Amino acid sequence: MDDSNASQQRNKKKMDGSTCMELALEGERLCKAGDCRAGVAFFEAAIQAGTDDLKTLTAIYSQLGNAYFYLGEYSKAMQYHKHDLTLARTMQDKMGEAKASGNLGNTMKVLGRYDESLLCCKRHLSVSRELGDKVGEGRALYNLANVYHSKGKHLGRSGNQDPGHFPDAVKECLQKAVEYYNENLQLMVELGDRSAQGRACGNLGNTHYLLGNFTQAISYHQQRLKIAKEFGDKAAERRAHSNLGNAHVFLGQFETAAEHYKRTLVLAQELGDRAMEAQACYSLGNTYTLLRDLPASVEYHMRHMQIAQELNDTVGEGRACWSLGNAHTAMGNNEKALYYAQRHLQISQQIEDMAGLETARMNLSDLRRAMGRDAGDGPELTDSTLSAPLRPRRQSMDNMDLLKTSNDESFMDGDDFLDQLTRFQSKRMDDQRCSLTVGGAGGSSSGSTPDPVKDDLIDLIQGMQSRRMDEQRADLPVCDLDLPGFSGSKDFIQRLSVASDADGLPDDQFFDMLIRCQGSRLDDQRSVLPELSVPHPPPAPTVPDEDFFSLIQRLQSERIEDQRSALPPSKTPGD
């Protein structure tokens, strides 16, 4: 605490009497050093100090937007990227306009405002092509693909479909993502950028996986794996192996899937990522269940549970108990199965997981009926009851630790944003940004069924607000452009703006739409609402993607139901 106060005092002294440029340079230094919170303070102080240098001001806007994005303050990030776009257009800076449009599009994507995000990213693409900027064109294509990919995953979360079985609207978004990823890949081949080719291959693999094109997904992930090895990128190599495992599972090639998950486990251990180790163990446990090797399944689920407890992942622990209960039921270890079903019930109550609660109750009912017990019969089992070894450890597992399933590609664009981890089939930083979802434009603040009358009313109010804003904006003098931190002559800005209008800059509707996005309180409030689809349990860092789990859950329950119909007699613990 003392160190923090001392640091704040030093920063305050640096701010006193410093010029806008000096403050901005210190903010940039702090952000590059990883202290974005302090960097933001210096950038904000630079704006307070003011400058008449428009190039300095646009750089501050851009970096403040990026810093706020990194800090997760997306509304502020959007505000400053909008300022950056306003100033770039005023200065007729096409390159600046392209970058600001891309940054604004990425921010809107994270907020779940996909249509607006697509508009911004398409503007980024068109300006980059107009300028002949191949690098900018590649980034715009990549961002467009990411937005379509994220929109498709967001639309697909409302149901519980497996990859390849999504509604047409979801498939259309994913197919558009494939088109843009392919364009990006072709351009990166033309530019000779192997690293970017690897990212494109990984994303194409992930998107084909969601479309149910598992053979194509495997082909792209194999290319991704090859490029990752070329660069010695173990994190990307781990993700590729995990994604290959997922695709092979859906093709029914469980042995091959297990080999990829084992390699994922080794790489996760080398990277020191305990959560990913746990995910790998979870995937291996489920895969061995599908292979009917139940003792191996139990072993890996136990390892997953131990790490989940270590990392305080209650959701992951509950998932492990569910899996262990099923495995022990299939093995005829009814007492142990009963213990894990009881623990699963307790955890589901604790985290308010209604689906898990219902599943646990059904499993307990089935087990007690098979064991000839009533609902309240029998003592509660404890961990010590289960301390007896399950079986001798296989020699082939001696050098295996936890295996983790890998997710989407990780990617960081230095000129745009630090990307965040995603969850559906990947925790890639870039797609992670994509994976972060909030209520869409028609959302409400609760999980209840949307009211069409209320939605129509909101749309009507928004339309009225937008028209009023247009009318007011038409009457405002150009010199009233909102450019915080500009200390120069407003007449100069007015002359620039008039010149811009005279030159007939294109896409005025595009720019006006973005201003309305910023000005609408309804949109701003909606952007911070949580996801409005079917309620999910809290995040579980040790549990892999839900799409893979849904397949395992379905296949396991089908096989366990077959076995449950003829459960063997109850055994004592340790048999």
Side-chain angles (χ1 to χ4, degrees), residues 83-111:
H83 289 323
D84 188 21
L85 181 60
T86 302
L87 188 51
R89 284 175 58 89
T90 301
M91 296 167 61
Q92 302 182 59
D93 176 4
K94 286 286 189 178
M95 184 66 76
E97 180 185 351
K99 290 184 177 180
S101 297
N103 289 340
L104 195 54
N106 283 335
T107 306
M108 287 182 172
K109 175 182 65 179
V110 173
L111 292 171

Side-chain angles (χ1 to χ4, degrees), residues 120-172:
C120 293
C121 292
K122 287 177 180 177
R123 180 61 180 163
H124 182 196
L125 178 62
S126 66
V127 175
S128 296
R129 285 176 169 168
E130 178 185 337
L131 296 173
D133 176 11
K134 294 290 186 180
V135 174
E137 180 183 353
R139 288 175 181 152
L141 289 168
Y142 189 81
N143 289 338
L144 271 168
N146 283 340
V147 177
Y148 276 114
H149 183 93
S150 296
K151 183 179 180 181
K153 290 194 297 185
H154 176 74
L155 293 174
R157 285 199 181 102
S158 59
N160 194 29
Q161 298 92 349
D162 289 329
H165 296 87
F166 291 110
D168 288 343
V170 175
K171 291 181 179 179
E172 288 173 8

Side-chain angles (χ1 to χ4, degrees), residues 238-246 260-261 264 404-407:
R238 174 191 58 72
R239 289 191 298 272
H241 276 297
S242 180
N243 291 329
L244 283 164
N246 291 346
H260 283 295
Y261 290 139
T264 306
K404 119 177 203 173
T405 53
S406 62
N407 302 319

Side-chain angles (χ1 to χ4, degrees), residues 179-400:
E179 293 173 14
Y180 282 114
Y181 281 135
N182 271 323
E183 286 192 62
N184 172 262
L185 178 59
Q186 293 168 9
L187 184 56
M188 294 304 102
V189 170
E190 177 186 329
L191 296 176
D193 188 339
R194 285 291 283 171
S195 178
Q197 291 170 41
R199 290 193 295 269
C201 287
N203 282 299
L204 278 165
N206 290 330
T207 312
H208 277 296
Y209 169 84
L210 293 176
L211 285 166
N213 304 328
F214 302 117
T215 301
Q216 287 175 275
I218 287 171
S219 176
Y220 280 114
H221 284 310
Q222 286 172 337
Q223 293 180 57
R224 202 319 168 225
L225 179 60
K226 178 183 176 182
I227 295 174
K229 289 180 177 179
E230 289 176 14
F231 284 88
D233 185 348
K234 290 192 175 184
E237 187 180 344
R238 174 191 58 72
R239 289 191 298 272
H241 276 297
S242 180
N243 291 329
L244 283 164
N246 291 346
H248 281 291
V249 162
F250 276 90
L251 288 175
Q253 299 166 354
F254 304 134
E255 288 281 7
T256 305
E259 291 305 312
H260 283 295
Y261 290 139
K262 289 173 185 176
R263 184 59 189 153
T264 306
L265 172 59
V266 172
L267 289 164
Q269 287 184 304
E270 290 178 3
L271 292 166
D273 192 332
R274 290 289 279 170
M276 293 297 101
E277 290 182 21
Q279 285 196 20
C281 284
Y282 180 86
S283 295
L284 275 170
N286 286 326
T287 304
Y288 277 114
T289 294
L290 296 174
L291 286 167
R292 311 300 289 269
D293 187 346
L294 296 174
S297 174
V298 167
E299 182 166 355
Y300 278 111
H301 281 306
M302 285 292 294
R303 296 167 112 180
H304 166 234
M305 184 173 70
Q306 289 164 2
I307 299 181
Q309 291 170 340
E310 171 191 324
L311 299 180
N312 297 315
D313 178 11
T314 308
V315 176
E317 182 184 355
R319 208 51 81 67
C321 289
W322 181 86
S323 300
L324 285 164
N326 283 343
H328 280 297
T329 297
M331 293 167 68
N333 300 331
N334 294 342
E335 294 289 347
K336 292 180 180 180
L338 185 62
Y339 167 81
Y340 287 114
Q342 289 169 341
R343 182 64 184 139
H344 183 208
L345 179 68
Q346 293 167 356
I347 291 174
S348 298
Q349 290 172 328
Q350 178 182 341
I351 64 176
E352 298 181 348
D353 177 4
M354 295 300 105
L357 196 61
E358 183 62 25
T359 299
R361 284 172 175 161
M362 289 172 58
N363 287 344
L364 280 170
S365 176
D366 289 347
L367 278 166
R368 285 169 173 151
R369 184 168 55 251
M371 297 166 71
R373 295 186 183 179
D374 293 331
D377 286 351
E380 294 288 329
L381 299 180
T382 62
D383 293 338
S384 60
T385 314
L386 306 173
S387 59
L390 296 172
R391 65 182 176 94
R393 183 178 177 83
R394 298 193 311 188
Q395 185 66 26
S396 62
M397 289 189 176
D398 285 345
N399 295 322
M400 276 187 225

Side-chain angles (χ1 to χ4, degrees), residues 35-100:
D35 191 353
C36 284
R37 182 63 65 189
V40 161
F42 274 90
F43 281 129
E44 292 282 10
I47 286 180
Q48 290 297 317
T51 181
D52 60 359
D53 185 338
L54 296 180
K55 290 185 177 180
T56 298
L57 194 57
T58 190
I60 293 173
Y61 289 159
S62 180
Q63 295 209 47
L64 253 179
N66 290 344
Y68 274 124
F69 185 99
Y70 178 77
L71 293 170
E73 299 183 32
Y74 303 117
S75 293
K76 289 184 178 179
M78 188 165 64
Q79 174 187 348
Y80 280 106
H81 285 311
K82 190 267 280 191
H83 289 323
D84 188 21
L85 181 60
T86 302
L87 188 51
R89 284 175 58 89
T90 301
M91 296 167 61
Q92 302 182 59
D93 176 4
K94 286 286 189 178
M95 184 66 76
E97 180 185 351
K99 290 184 177 180

